[in-house]
Amino acid sequence: MAHNTMPISVTHDKPKLVVPSIVTPHEIKHLSEIDDQGSTRFHVSVLMFYKYNSLMEGNDPAKIIKNGLSKTLVFYYPLAGRLIEGPNKKLMVNCNGEGVLFIEADANVELEKLGDSIKPPCPYMDLLLHNVPGSDGMIGCPLLLIQVTRFTCGGFAIGFRVNHTMMDAYGIKLFLNALSELIQGASTPSILPVWQRDILRARSPPCITCTHHEFDEQIESKIAWESIADKLIQQSFFFGNKEMEVIKNQLPPNYGCTEFELLVAFLWKCRTIALDLHPDEIVHLTYLINIRRKLLNFELPSGYYGNAFITPAAVSKAGLLCSNSLTYAVEMIKKLKDHMNEEYIKSVTDLIVIKGRPQLSKSWNFIISDNRSGGFDKFDFGWGEPIFGGVPKAVSLISFGVPVKNERGEKGILIAISLPPLAMKKFQEVVYNLTLRNMQGVNIISKM
């Protein structure tokens, strides 16, 4: 299902700095190695869309969220600070209370007129999350930007952009949950934030003890990818129960794997076929794994809002991945997850220090993050739950899985994929041929 993008205009007020509602500690806080690795040095965005609610008639969402933000920053005061850089590119937070950026805006359209285009890849992202000049750098820039855009119907959108070095999806979830609770009358968040970034620091001396394919870099492959990186387009694909059942039928009977493992394996294979690479070319799949409760001999505190994920990679020759059954790709992902343990976490943390905070491989790498448990479709600021909440688009190599309902109200997962135009056309054909040719309609959501 494709949808049309309607032209809209958005009027932005002058950006303001929102500071904590009371004086907070002025201090320097160190980030963990996981926080300030090379591949977290960008800003990650979330969009949430809320319908008009007659019970909130007369309440300005921008004013309410701005006031709630000021209260929330008392507890999450490092977010009101600025990053500084120490030796070996080590990032620290100068908790100086400068504040976060807040933008009020008004759109000239009713929310419902936007239809499915509010889902990834959202073509209005730049309007609903205005990039204030000079605000999106790493050092000395605001760590958080929030924009509230009112629609003519009384509905509104909240755009949330955060420096990824400060928090991951779970951390954003904690922050937004605190914001929701404080807006609705709580005096403190139900889960108090915990800094303790030293839990995930490197050993002394650091020592690499495992193989880390996620940082493998083949120069020719990297150059080949970078030569097409500025020509990428995005398209979103919906996978509900019917689609997943068709994909599952490509595995042996009673074969055990999770739904997301299966979907990732399928997408990796389809994407590699679409790129039409030489059979001996090495391709990567980087699979983001949350380490909060699974891999450490202890649990991180429930209020820990820093980055707590690792990025192991499976590698294969393109020809083997494309010619083998889907089981081949699924087995690679299962083995990848089976080998994850505390030693791997310590090893990758040490590698980040030893190798000067390298970025993840750009050698035909497909990076995917499961954001279904982010809860961005659940946050209630007084107007009820959003009609859509999640990461608004893929970020170059990185795709995100977000929970959505399709036009028939069926629950599923939506994945935005970035590819060059010709490869995208082939990817669409491959997905159709492998899953959807016997089903009515191709569940392709949008393209930009």
Side-chain angles (χ1 to χ4, degrees):
M1 179 193 70
H3 62 248
N4 296 318
T5 300
M6 69 175 296
I8 70 170
S9 67
V10 175
T11 305
H12 300 91
D13 287 359
K14 188 177 178 181
K16 299 179 177 68
L17 283 171
V18 176
V19 300
S21 58
I22 62 173
V23 175
T24 53
H26 281 220
E27 58 190 356
I28 303 294
K29 285 185 173 289
H30 286 249
L31 294 172
S32 76
E33 261 62 69
I34 302 293
D35 286 326
D36 68 354
Q37 59 185 293
S39 294
T40 56
R41 296 188 177 209
F42 70 100
H43 293 257
V44 65
S45 302
V46 172
L47 286 179
M48 295 172 285
F49 294 84
Y50 294 85
K51 280 184 169 181
Y52 167 74
N53 183 335
S54 59
L55 296 176
M56 298 297 285
E57 183 69 49
N59 288 295
D60 179 3
K63 182 178 180 182
I64 287 174
I65 288 161
K66 184 181 176 186
N67 289 341
L69 189 57
S70 187
K71 295 175 185 176
T72 309
L73 288 172
V74 172
F75 300 93
Y76 286 85
Y77 66 87
L79 288 173
R82 298 292 184 268
L83 289 182
I84 57 177
E85 194 171 65
N88 194 26
K89 301 182 184 177
K90 179 67 183 174
L91 292 180
M92 298 166 278
V93 186
N94 179 13
C95 302
N96 56 13
E98 271 192 54
V100 302
L101 274 177
F102 185 83
I103 304 169
E104 287 187 47
D106 292 281
N108 68 337
V109 67
E110 295 178 358
L111 173 55
E112 64 179 23
K113 294 282 177 63
L114 302 185
D116 268 341
S117 60
I118 64 175
K119 297 174 183 175
C122 179
Y124 313 113
M125 179 177 158
D126 292 340
L127 293 172
L128 301 177
L129 255 176
H130 175 56
N131 184 17
V132 178
S135 71
D136 61 351
M138 285 290 108
I139 308 301
C141 292
L143 297 170
L144 175 63
L145 180 151
I146 287 184
Q147 177 176 324
V148 178
T149 306
R150 295 169 290 241
F151 296 99
T152 56
C153 57
F156 62 97
I158 304 177
F160 181 90
R161 190 189 78 188
V162 65
N163 188 313
H164 201 340
T165 63
M166 294 297 292
M167 54 175 71
D168 58 12
Y170 182 84
I172 297 171
K173 178 180 179 178
L174 286 174
F175 179 85
L176 291 176
N177 196 57
L179 177 61
S180 169
E181 290 174 339
L182 294 173
I183 281 174
Q184 297 189 75
S187 56
T188 59
S190 58
I191 301 175
L192 288 171
V194 174
W195 186 262
Q196 290 184 19
R197 307 293 170 107
D198 58 328
I199 294 174
L200 296 175
R201 67 174 175 231
R203 292 174 287 199
S204 183
C207 178
I208 302 169
T209 55
C210 300
T211 302
H212 299 283
H213 290 302
E214 59 267 41
F215 299 107
D216 290 350
E217 198 69 274
Q218 295 159 285
I219 299 302
E220 287 186 13
S221 300
K222 179 184 177 183
I223 292 169
W225 171 261
E226 290 182 338
S227 70
I228 59 173
D230 61 346
K231 303 178 180 70
L232 301 179
I233 61 171
Q234 282 190 35
Q235 232 166 315
S236 288
F237 297 80
F238 174 84
F239 296 90
N241 289 335
K242 292 177 184 175
E243 290 82 2
M244 292 308 301
E245 194 61 35
V246 175
I247 297 172
K248 191 175 179 181
N249 287 339
Q250 298 176 38
L251 300 178
N254 302 315
Y255 181 84
C257 68
T258 69
E259 182 176 273
F260 199 70
E261 287 168 356
L262 174 60
L263 180 56
V264 169
F266 173 77
L267 292 170
W268 187 31
K269 180 176 180 177
C270 291
R271 183 179 183 271
T272 306
I273 293 170
L275 285 167
D276 197 22
L277 303 173
H278 187 280
D280 289 334
E281 186 73 76
I282 300 296
V283 292
H284 291 69
L285 167 74
T286 299
Y287 194 98
L288 274 65
I289 297 178
N290 183 345
I291 62 174
R292 278 185 161 79
R293 296 180 186 88
K294 297 174 185 173
L295 300 173
L296 296 166
N297 290 329
F298 58 91
E299 285 192 12
L300 288 170
S302 60
Y304 186 88
Y305 64 101
N307 290 283
F309 64 89
I310 51 174
T311 53
V315 294
S316 172
K317 287 187 175 181
L320 286 174
L321 179 61
C322 297
S323 62
N324 270 293
S325 70
L326 186 57
T327 313
Y328 171 83
V330 177
E331 279 297 313
M332 294 190 75
I333 294 169
K334 288 174 67 177
K335 285 176 185 172
L336 194 71
K337 293 174 75 174
D338 288 344
H339 288 116
M340 294 304 103
N341 54 31
E342 186 159 3
E343 184 57 37
Y344 190 95
I345 296 168
K346 289 178 177 177
S347 177
V348 76
T349 303
D350 292 353
L351 179 149
I352 289 167
V353 172
I354 291 169
K355 298 205 171 178
R357 309 183 192 284
Q359 296 217 4
L360 294 172
S361 171
K362 289 186 172 67
S363 300
W364 304 118
N365 194 1
F366 178 40
I367 307 170
I368 188 145
S369 175
D370 185 0
N371 275 199
R372 289 177 299 168
S373 60
F376 302 127
D377 57 341
K378 301 294 181 188
F379 292 112
D380 182 352
F381 301 105
W383 281 262
E385 293 182 354
I387 54 174
F388 172 78
V391 179
K393 63 190 294 186
V395 181
S396 185
L397 295 166
I398 310 172
S399 290
F400 300 89
V402 295
V404 298
K405 291 180 180 177
N406 67 4
E407 72 280 3
R408 294 185 293 276
E410 297 166 344
K411 288 183 178 180
I413 182 168
L414 190 70
I415 308 269
I417 303 281
S418 296
L419 283 170
L422 287 177
M424 182 64 80
K425 187 172 187 295
K426 188 167 183 181
F427 181 85
Q428 183 177 335
E429 291 166 358
V430 172
V431 170
Y432 179 79
N433 288 332
L434 287 177
T435 64
L436 303 170
R437 60 185 166 190
N438 296 319
M439 300 169 61
Q440 281 196 329
V442 182
N443 289 304
I444 293 167
I445 303 299
S446 63
K447 171 177 164 184
M448 65 182 289

